Amino acid sequence: MNDIKILGTGCAKCLAMTQVVEVVLNENNIEATVEKVEDIVKIMNFNVMSTPALVVNGTIAIKGKVPTKEEVLEVLNR
Amino acid sequence: MFGWLEQLADGLVYQVFKLDANDHLAEALHFFIYDSIKIILLLILVIFFMGLVNSFFPVERVKNYLTSHNLFGFEYLFASLFGVVTPFCSCSSVPLFIGFVRGGISLGVTFTFLITSPLVNEVAIGLFIGLFGIKTTLIYVSTGILLGTISGFILQKLKLESLLTPWVQDLMKEDRNLDNHFLPVKISFSKRLKSIFKEALIIIKGVLPFVIIGIAMGSFMHGYIPEGFFETYLQKDNWFAVPIATLLAVPMYSNASGMLPVLQVLVSKGVPLGTAIAFMMGVVGLSLPEAMLLKKVMSFKLIAIFFSVVSICIIISGYLFNIFL
């Protein structure tokens, strides 16, 4: 079971990342808990400088851009 | 370089639509066809190129470079140059700000980055080349870089650290070498190019409506407003024009994409270029939504000082443009 967090204050790019992640999870039947972290103080605890960021099982995997489906899949499979 | 496009626009307006060359509508339509195609092509080129540069200068690397090198006072200039090639989403301004100051980068250098980055961005550069030519673009880019450098330097001298919100001050005292826990996805160069191109297309898609609306408004004004119309109100020797343009611009929120086509027409109808650019920089560089975001990390007083220093620099550069161009 993957623990996924999406860090972002709610701009267009952050929403786009959430969509990509949801599509990948559905298409590949991957089980995961998805949490959106929008509170800036909480986001800062992850020490990222550019949002949106994708955190998988406590590790920051992608930051500062909207990933492609392949990138998300690769992150989830490792 | 764009002769073929001129012919295409000529062909469409005069032969396909059979409009008379002296007609207002023909003039507006010709302007619209020629400008929108030219600008979209330039935007694709510039945004793709900047995306390529940016893939080698992500903000983390910029931060690491600035923290680990002694640049003997040139750190402001470097931060400004990095600001040009490193675009960030406006909602990233707070995390970026905190990342910089927590990394031990001085407040002034951080401000420099925050000022130049939105002011001189890839979309604005693409539009500038298309609308005003290479020379004006170079002046615009170097003015933006200088503006960021000088404002950051002044803000540093004002020693404003105590005006940051308390939680940011606490963060600054923390260990500066926090572990990142970042495990990037490894991708090949060809894959990287593909994703840069994709990203460029996403940016184009995002700004396209604004550009088209801007060009349409510009075309209308180009066709229907007589030459020299604004000269009466906004002459070069009207010293109030630049500050008024800047102060009007700050509360407005827009990106360069919709503004510039309109600006080009204003300039061709007699608005001095410096006044127009000061207006554009005010709209792009400072905005109320940005102030709302920065409220989380800065006291109201600091935001006011920040906005004032940048506004003054914009006004000065507006005057300089008017004097030298």
Side-chain angles (χ1 to χ4, degrees):
Chain A
M1 184 84 160
N2 286 298
D3 167 42
I4 297 175
K5 289 188 178 66
I6 294 162
L7 318 180
T9 43
C11 62
K13 276 191 177 182
C14 313
L15 296 176
M17 178 186 263
T18 313
Q19 277 171 3
V20 174
V21 170
E22 275 165 2
V23 169
V24 171
L25 292 177
N26 281 333
E27 281 180 358
N28 299 283
N29 289 322
I30 299 172
E31 269 191 59
T33 53
V34 181
E35 186 194 344
K36 285 187 74 187
V37 182
E38 293 189 351
D39 180 7
I40 191 75
V41 181
K42 280 189 190 149
I43 291 176
M44 289 330 297
N45 290 335
F46 288 93
N47 202 26
V48 290
M49 297 211 313
S50 41
T51 53
L54 183 68
V55 180
V56 179
N57 302 325
T59 303
I60 300 158
I62 292 164
K63 53 186 172 182
K65 63 170 186 174
V66 180
T68 59
K69 284 201 265 181
E70 295 85 65
E71 280 176 278
V72 174
L73 198 59
E74 205 178 316
V75 170
L76 290 174
N77 283 334
R78 69 186 178 194
Chain B
M1 187 175 156
F2 287 102
W4 59 273
L5 196 52
E6 189 85 55
Q7 284 173 354
L8 176 79
D10 280 349
L12 276 174
V13 174
Y14 306 127
Q15 274 140 41
V16 179
F17 301 127
K18 302 210 186 309
L19 290 167
D20 182 22
N22 297 317
D23 194 9
H24 285 311
L25 181 66
E27 216 173 307
L29 198 64
H30 189 279
F31 183 91
F32 180 76
I33 294 168
Y34 179 79
D35 259 42
S36 44
I37 297 177
K38 182 172 83 173
I39 285 167
I40 290 164
L41 288 176
L42 279 167
L43 276 180
I44 294 173
L45 256 170
V46 175
I47 292 175
F48 179 70
F49 175 74
M50 294 287 272
L52 197 61
V53 176
N54 181 239
S55 77
F56 296 100
F57 292 102
V59 280
E60 281 76 16
R61 192 176 283 179
V62 170
K63 188 197 86 174
N64 292 342
Y65 183 86
L66 289 170
T67 40
S68 59
H69 291 71
N70 186 355
L71 296 164
F72 307 103
F74 282 102
E75 57 269 29
Y76 297 94
L77 186 63
F78 271 90
S80 201
L81 289 171
F82 284 135
V84 173
V85 293
T86 319
F88 62 89
C89 176
S90 67
C91 47
S92 277
S93 60
V94 170
L96 209 113
F97 180 86
I98 292 172
F100 269 46
V101 292
R102 183 151 71 175
I105 297 173
S106 71
L107 201 54
V109 175
T110 306
F111 274 130
T112 292
F113 186 87
L114 281 182
I115 294 165
T116 315
S117 193
L119 212 54
V120 188
N121 63 56
E122 70 273 27
V123 177
I125 293 175
L127 284 165
F128 249 97
I129 299 174
L131 297 170
F132 295 107
I134 294 282
K135 189 185 149 209
T136 316
T137 307
L138 285 177
I139 299 173
Y140 153 70
V141 173
S142 36
T143 311
I145 291 170
L146 278 177
L147 202 61
T149 308
I150 296 167
S151 320
F153 186 75
I154 297 172
L155 288 162
Q156 178 64 29
K157 289 289 164 216
L158 294 174
K159 298 218 185 323
L160 303 162
E161 282 78 3
S162 60
L163 297 177
L164 293 170
T165 46
W167 73 277
V168 180
Q169 295 193 36
D170 288 344
L171 277 177
M172 285 169 77
K173 288 179 206 129
E174 266 179 34
D175 181 14
R176 286 183 174 172
N177 300 311
L178 280 174
D179 194 6
N180 232 334
H181 299 296
F182 178 51
L183 199 59
V185 189
K186 286 202 177 63
I187 41 170
S188 64
F189 186 70
S190 61
K191 260 194 175 170
R192 192 189 274 207
L193 275 184
K194 218 176 114 189
S195 92
I196 293 169
F197 194 70
K198 245 184 172 171
E199 189 115 326
L201 287 182
I202 292 174
I203 298 175
I204 303 270
K205 250 197 205 157
V207 297
L208 205 57
F210 299 98
V211 174
I212 297 288
I213 291 168
I215 298 172
M217 281 169 67
S219 313
F220 175 79
M221 290 161 75
H222 179 81
Y224 291 91
I225 295 177
E227 210 105 332
F229 178 78
F230 293 100
E231 229 155 359
T232 351
Y233 308 103
L234 294 162
Q235 271 165 0
K236 268 193 185 186
D237 51 11
N238 180 354
W239 284 93
F240 295 112
V242 174
I244 289 172
T246 309
L247 293 180
L248 279 177
V250 175
M252 289 178 66
Y253 178 58
S254 169
N255 43 20
S257 26
M259 294 282 313
L260 279 169
V262 177
L263 220 68
Q264 185 206 12
V265 177
L266 292 177
V267 169
S268 71
K269 302 293 181 195
V271 174
L273 190 59
T275 312
I277 287 181
F279 183 69
M280 194 274 303
M281 285 184 160
V283 171
V284 179
L286 300 168
S287 70
L288 288 184
E290 192 192 352
M292 302 289 280
L293 282 171
L294 292 177
K295 192 76 194 69
K296 293 204 167 107
V297 287
M298 297 174 199
S299 65
F300 182 72
K301 195 176 165 192
L302 182 53
I303 295 176
I305 295 172
F306 171 53
F307 271 44
S308 311
V309 170
V310 179
S311 299
I312 291 167
C313 287
I314 291 175
I315 291 169
I316 293 171
S317 61
Y319 282 133
L320 291 177
F321 262 104
N322 281 349
I323 292 167
F324 292 112
L325 281 174

